Amino acid sequence: MNNDILNTKKLGYKFYFQDGDDQIACFGSYFTGKEEVYINDELVSEKRSINVTSKHQFELSGNTFNVKFEMHNILTGRLECSLFKNKKLVKSLEQTTLFSNPKKSALFIAGCFVVGFTVGYIISTLALGNNHAIKPQNYKSIKAKA
């Protein structure tokens, strides 16, 4: 089979399994928690999940299949997707959105925070200018009026 159906999905985890001539494609969104399972490019299961573990069940050729999504590390985005056929593990695949090392991920997130804070401060300073700052001489006049 081809991998076309998940190529339309931009930001998320993409897992592919093969069972005979059937391709089972699983997608999980990074941001919305939406999970989708396709058989041969046809949607068979869909739901939103904010839990660290979720399961999808479907029938194919007289067999019961289960897909299990399990988030192992939220900081690094390490997600495992497992396919079960008649309650027996067929295959497990794992993907990571950030670095596999939690320390590198924490540094990356901290760096993003610092850059965001700095850019926000610069933009607000440029947008407001110095006209809105309370200066000591303005504070005295404000206090006297009150």
Side-chain angles (χ1 to χ4, degrees):
M1 292 289 121
N2 57 22
N3 295 340
D4 292 341
I5 192 67
L6 295 189
N7 288 337
T8 61
K9 308 290 183 187
K10 299 293 182 203
L11 298 173
Y13 300 93
K14 300 170 185 177
F15 300 97
Y16 297 95
F17 301 98
Q18 200 69 34
D19 183 61
D21 291 336
D22 298 309
Q23 181 189 60
I24 300 166
C26 307
F27 172 77
S29 173
Y30 295 152
F31 301 109
T32 65
K34 186 174 185 180
E35 301 169 349
E36 299 170 337
V37 178
Y38 296 86
I39 299 175
N40 302 326
D41 297 340
E42 184 179 324
L43 183 65
V44 295
S45 181
E46 161 183 44
K47 68 178 173 179
R48 290 195 192 278
S49 176
I50 58 170
N51 297 323
V52 293
T53 302
S54 67
K55 296 179 183 178
H56 298 259
Q57 184 173 325
F58 56 93
E59 301 288 326
L60 176 63
S61 304
N63 295 300
T64 301
F65 285 84
N66 289 292
V67 171
K68 179 181 174 184
F69 289 99
E70 188 171 6
M71 181 63 68
H72 289 289
N73 189 323
I74 292 174
L75 183 61
T76 62
R78 187 166 56 102
L79 180 75
E80 180 180 31
C81 182
S82 302
L83 177 69
F84 297 86
K85 181 177 182 180
N86 299 321
K87 298 184 179 181
K88 292 183 181 178
L89 179 64
V90 175
K91 189 173 186 179
S92 285
L93 300 172
E94 190 174 281
Q95 291 182 13
T96 302
T97 57
L98 286 175
F99 307 102
S100 57
N101 183 340
K103 289 181 182 178
K104 284 185 179 180
S105 295
L107 285 173
F108 176 76
I109 291 169
C112 289
F113 176 78
V114 169
V115 169
F117 178 81
T118 304
V119 169
Y121 177 78
I122 291 169
I123 290 172
S124 66
T125 302
L126 292 174
L128 296 176
N130 287 334
N131 296 333
H132 297 291
I134 297 178
K135 299 174 185 168
Q137 65 269 19
N138 291 345
Y139 178 71
K140 289 178 185 174
S141 63
I142 292 171
K143 192 174 180 182
K145 290 179 183 178

